[in-house]
Amino acid sequence: SKTISKCYVQVTGMTCASCVANIERNLRREDGIHSILVALMAGKAEVRYNPAVIHPAAIAELIRELGFGATVLENCGEGDGILELVVRGMTCASCVHKIESTLMKTNGVLYCSVALATNKAHIKYDPEAIGPRDVIQVIKDLGFTTSLVKKDRSASHLDHKQEIRQWKRSFVVSLVFCIPVMGLMIYMMVMDSQLSDAHTHHNMSSEEMEALHSSMVLEYQLLPGLSVMNFLSFLLCVPVQVFGGWHFYIQASRALRHNTANMDVLVVLATSIAFLYSFIILLVAMAERARVNPVTFFDTPPMLFVFISLGRWLEHVAKGKTSEALARLISLQATEATIVTLGPDNVLLSEEQVDVELVQRGDIVKVVPGGKFPVDGRVIEGHSMVDESLITGEAMPVTKKPGSTVIAGSINQNGSLLISATHVGADTTLSQIVKLVEEAQTSKAPIQQFADKLSGYFVPFIVAVSVVTLFAWIIIGFVDFEIVEKYFLGYNKSISAAEVIIRFAFQASITVLCIACPCSLGLA
């Protein structure tokens, strides 16, 4: 008998099914080539040839002459088939041994391991020599029942529903508490401007001014040093800091554990510092039983969290859209196939329904009108029109007759077809498209990696700038108090100069942190 070897050739430059047909047609005519099978999406040709007549380099050269790029793939894993089975009926280790040893003796099985505890069998086989149905038959003959490990066809790992829910919740919580905080702030601003108008028009003394000021409802002190305004702001800020900021804290702590600093770290820093500073200042004011209420920053965290969680929520909604498209693609895959046995003159002898994972290369599959093609294949018998629009975008139905190729996932319209399976499982065009889209979603663009790298330096840099700002203003304040007085709004003569300076410096440095938080680089 003539020895037949097999080689794989990477083919570039193929654009459509006619390129595939062209390569297959021309190479079949060559001496020494037994069969050739080209996968368009994977860009791979599998050639079986007689090594006495022709060698792989010459085969690649033949493809190049047709105008495509071709390189021989060395030691390309034969595309080993992998089968995951649930085996029922095993009682002890000897059952396991029996299954393993029988399978290992079977021609075409490369590796096999059976776990008694989980009832699972993991089998690697050579699709040329044996197929999944044969393997299952061997196990059945030993007296065990088997079933396929059900693959998750719903593509749930592409689902962003959970993240969308979580960020939406975070946004809503922050918003609910942010609105009253904003209301209080605006009210204070309006009242303050009215008071300052009164001050300028009626030339009141600052003592009368104080009296007026403290008569305002919000400035009324519940306890010495604790005004209604500050108390309400504090109450409104706590839930936001805890519930609205929960995910930020988790992600920031993860980042810090891995010695990186991302946007979440900035957000957490700015909000926590603003919150803690305000809280401490309140405690100090209460301890000193201050007559004048301290200025707090309880409005910063809710507002920041509102904007950023809105951004994150929208981002996940957008991601969910791309994933939805992919999930739809995955759902195009047929789940079952009708395999038929043909007698002489293509007479149907028998047919059986099997899971699509069990279709072997070379099987004859029957596809009825309205049915989906479970695998890529070549038509043996029958004439029909096929709707391939889901895969190729071609709106018109395509005529199929014996010899035409069909694509898994496309829909047979009016005639019954018998096809011979050429690409099954992960090799079908549809699986390859899904794989490409998944890879595109998981891999990062170079610019994205660059931005991530930058934000690694960006965060420490911002923190440093904000610390520098703090000390710079403290120094400026003690050197020349006039400047601070000029810029510090709502400056009150009753507060000591030192407190004014420190408070102003702090406001400036918090501002630096807060502005850098939702920075365009991070959002982009």
Side-chain angles (χ1 to χ4, degrees), residues 433-509:
I433 293 176
V434 169
K435 190 171 130 225
L436 287 171
V437 178
E438 275 180 342
E439 277 170 10
Q441 278 206 326
T442 48
S443 60
K444 277 187 180 169
I447 188 72
Q448 206 174 341
Q449 280 167 338
F450 179 63
D452 285 354
K453 195 164 139 196
L454 273 189
S455 66
Y457 301 120
F458 176 79
V459 178
F461 171 71
I462 291 295
V463 174
V465 170
S466 117
V467 172
V468 169
T469 310
L470 179 71
F471 288 116
W473 275 109
I474 290 176
I475 293 164
I476 292 170
F478 283 116
V479 171
D480 182 359
F481 186 62
E482 312 282 87
I483 298 181
V484 175
E485 211 174 9
K486 188 170 115 205
Y487 287 113
F488 194 59
L489 300 170
Y491 165 56
N492 208 316
K493 293 283 184 293
S494 65
I495 311 174
S496 69
E499 192 192 332
V500 171
I501 292 169
I502 288 176
R503 215 157 69 192
F504 181 69
F506 190 80
Q507 236 171 334
S509 71

Side-chain angles (χ1 to χ4, degrees), residues 244-408:
W246 184 248
H247 304 300
F248 291 102
Y249 278 102
I250 293 174
Q251 288 178 316
S253 66
R254 274 187 203 145
L256 290 173
R257 272 209 301 276
H258 294 119
N259 297 329
T260 59
N262 57 10
M263 286 304 131
D264 299 313
V265 175
L266 262 194
V267 176
V268 164
L269 262 180
T271 54
S272 309
I273 292 174
F275 181 74
L276 288 172
Y277 167 82
S278 309
F279 185 56
I280 291 165
I281 256 193
L282 269 191
L283 293 181
V284 171
M286 285 163 72
E288 289 176 349
R289 312 185 80 74
R291 275 185 52 240
V292 177
N293 298 310
V295 174
T296 54
F297 293 112
F298 286 127
D299 51 336
T300 305
M303 289 173 65
L304 254 184
F305 280 139
V306 161
F307 289 123
I308 291 174
S309 49
L310 174 64
R312 295 279 165 95
W313 175 33
L314 293 176
E315 179 189 357
H316 280 289
V317 167
K319 277 187 187 161
K321 287 274 188 292
T322 34
S323 307
E324 219 173 83
L326 190 49
R328 269 209 215 102
L329 253 186
I330 293 176
S331 70
L332 293 179
Q333 292 169 331
T335 50
E336 298 222 304
T338 308
I339 293 182
V340 297
T341 325
L342 294 183
D345 294 336
N346 286 355
V347 182
L348 285 191
L349 297 181
S350 68
E351 53 180 75
E352 59 168 329
Q353 284 274 8
V354 298
D355 254 3
V356 94
E357 277 97 2
L358 294 181
V359 178
Q360 298 166 185
R361 190 188 272 184
D363 276 342
I364 310 295
V365 179
K366 176 173 147 195
V367 185
V368 295
K372 272 184 193 164
F373 289 97
V375 291
D376 291 6
R378 199 171 273 114
V379 179
I380 306 177
E381 190 176 294
H383 286 261
S384 181
M385 304 293 280
V386 172
D387 174 10
E388 292 183 349
S389 61
L390 295 164
I391 317 284
T392 60
E394 169 61 68
M396 298 295 288
V398 186
T399 312
K400 298 290 177 192
K401 53 185 194 295
S404 319
T405 49
V406 291
I407 308 173

